Amino acid sequence: MSSFSASGKLMIMGEHAVVYGYPSLVTAVSSRLYVSITPSTNSDVKIHTPQVKDSRFVQAALDVYKDKFKAKLTEMTLSTRSDFYTVNGFGSSAAVTVGTISALADYFKQDISKEDIFRLSYKAIQTVQGVGSGFDVASATYGGTLLFRQGGESIIPLNVPSGNMAFIVAYSGVKANTTEMVQMVKAKRDKESEKVNSLLRSIGELVVQAKEQIEKGEWESVGSLMNKNQEYLCELGVSTPQIDAMIQKALQSGAWGAKLSGAGGGDCIIAIAPVEKKNTVIGGIERAGGQIIDVTINERGVQKEQ
Ligand code: MEV
């Protein structure tokens, strides 16, 4: 048996701009997705994914692995289990793909590097999704907090000091459609290229500043940069009234910064606040209809479980 788990992710800053070559900041969360492969008498691979609505990513990972290593994928059962199947925006597609590639390599005793896992998983995801920078795949693979560029052109791990900072995550109750949001930004960029290019470039600049502030543990400054990032995301048209209301309440309740995380149009917001304000901020977000998700950040990427 080979059993692996991969982390969910949250985009800290740089969504959408990352699709156009600018850097982004992503962190791995404590919610994990588990993939295990056991021998069986099936003639092919039996896929058992009760909590994953969409098994196309598992299938794509199997196909990519088979193609790359000329593996005979028979007489096995692949099962998944997820800590975060009720939450959208944590990157379950990336986590299940990374977990599947890793479990297959272990099952077949194939030597495989983290970089191979990232490349093969990204390839598999692209065959299903078509769009995507791969930041979620990098996060599920390497874990920690990363400065990431499109397609993994550069993946730089950050040193994140702990400090007087609470990281708060809340789900908006609405599932975002990443492909639609990415296409919407593209259409806007085609129409208003100067304005949108300038917004994307500005987001990229904020990300570079945020990396420095995170590594210094200057969380209040990180919060201000997140707020500026959120303004630009609003100008891009990817925020929603529900997300805006949750962010406003978080800030009114004492958060240093708050923004949407991911494609926008729904999914989660993230907020950072002084530890002593954590409960007040949580109360504020809940009053605006947000559902708090209890996770920690800067966690481990893919790892062997058994
Ligand atoms: C979606 O979570 C983040 C986007 O930047 C798309 C991507 O990077 O794949 C909008």
Side-chain angles (χ1 to χ4, degrees), residues 9 11 14-19 131-136 178 182 262-263:
K9 57 76 192 160
M11 182 69 102
E15 44 275 274
H16 290 290
V18 67
V19 176
V131 302
S133 61
F135 79 101
D136 44 0
T178 301
V182 168

Side-chain angles (χ1 to χ4, degrees), residues 63-130:
D63 292 344
V64 164
Y65 186 89
K66 187 174 167 184
D67 192 46
K68 168 79 183 170
F69 297 111
K70 309 290 168 249
K72 230 175 105 227
L73 301 186
T74 55
E75 296 173 9
M76 52 205 245
T77 298
L78 185 147
S79 316
T80 67
R81 177 170 67 79
S82 170
D83 289 341
F84 53 92
Y85 68 100
T86 55
V87 181
N88 294 302
F90 270 24
S92 60
S93 312
V96 83
T97 308
V98 166
T100 300
I101 295 284
S102 305
L104 282 169
D106 186 68
Y107 191 81
F108 289 108
K109 302 193 171 27
Q110 174 70 49
D111 222 5
I112 195 169
S113 65
K114 283 268 165 91
E115 168 146 23
D116 293 333
I117 295 172
F118 170 74
R119 292 274 155 228
L120 294 173
S121 303
Y122 185 44
K123 188 172 175 193
I125 296 246
Q126 277 185 313
T127 63
V128 181
Q129 224 169 243

Side-chain angles (χ1 to χ4, degrees), residues 242-263:
Q242 170 62 14
I243 287 174
D244 293 345
M246 288 159 63
I247 289 172
Q248 197 190 10
K249 282 282 183 230
L251 296 175
Q252 281 169 359
S253 316
W256 285 315
K259 63 180 278 297
L260 65 82
S261 172

Side-chain angles (χ1 to χ4, degrees), residues 20-184:
Y20 298 91
Y22 296 104
S24 62
L25 286 165
V26 56
T27 193
V29 297
S30 46
S31 302
R32 305 187 71 80
L33 192 145
Y34 301 81
V35 178
S36 55
I37 300 178
T38 46
S40 76
T41 51
N42 307 312
S43 55
D44 53 5
V45 189
K46 185 166 187 300
I47 302 172
H48 184 62
T49 56
Q51 299 165 328
V52 183
K53 280 163 249 141
D54 191 344
S55 59
R56 285 180 306 162
F57 294 95
V58 171
Q59 193 55 58
L62 290 168
D63 292 344
V64 164
Y65 186 89
K66 187 174 167 184
D67 192 46
K68 168 79 183 170
F69 297 111
K70 309 290 168 249
K72 230 175 105 227
L73 301 186
T74 55
E75 296 173 9
M76 52 205 245
T77 298
L78 185 147
S79 316
T80 67
R81 177 170 67 79
S82 170
D83 289 341
F84 53 92
Y85 68 100
T86 55
V87 181
N88 294 302
F90 270 24
S92 60
S93 312
V96 83
T97 308
V98 166
T100 300
I101 295 284
S102 305
L104 282 169
D106 186 68
Y107 191 81
F108 289 108
K109 302 193 171 27
Q110 174 70 49
D111 222 5
I112 195 169
S113 65
K114 283 268 165 91
E115 168 146 23
D116 293 333
I117 295 172
F118 170 74
R119 292 274 155 228
L120 294 173
S121 303
Y122 185 44
K123 188 172 175 193
I125 296 246
Q126 277 185 313
T127 63
V128 181
Q129 224 169 243
V131 302
S133 61
F135 79 101
D136 44 0
V137 184
S139 183
T141 305
Y142 296 99
T145 301
L146 307 170
L147 185 79
F148 175 87
R149 276 180 194 269
Q150 162 81 24
E153 191 189 300
S154 74
I155 302 175
I156 302 170
L158 267 66
N159 241 327
V160 182
S162 55
N164 176 37
M165 185 274 283
F167 194 95
I168 300 156
V169 183
Y171 182 49
S172 66
V174 177
K175 179 174 165 33
N177 183 328
T178 301
T179 308
E180 248 173 44
M181 298 310 285
V182 168
Q183 277 161 359
M184 198 194 88

Side-chain angles (χ1 to χ4, degrees), residues 13 25 206-215 222 225:
M13 283 173 60
L25 286 165
L206 292 178
V207 166
V208 173
Q209 292 172 41
K211 173 188 185 282
E212 273 174 29
Q213 298 305 315
I214 289 174
E215 291 196 304
V222 177
L225 293 164

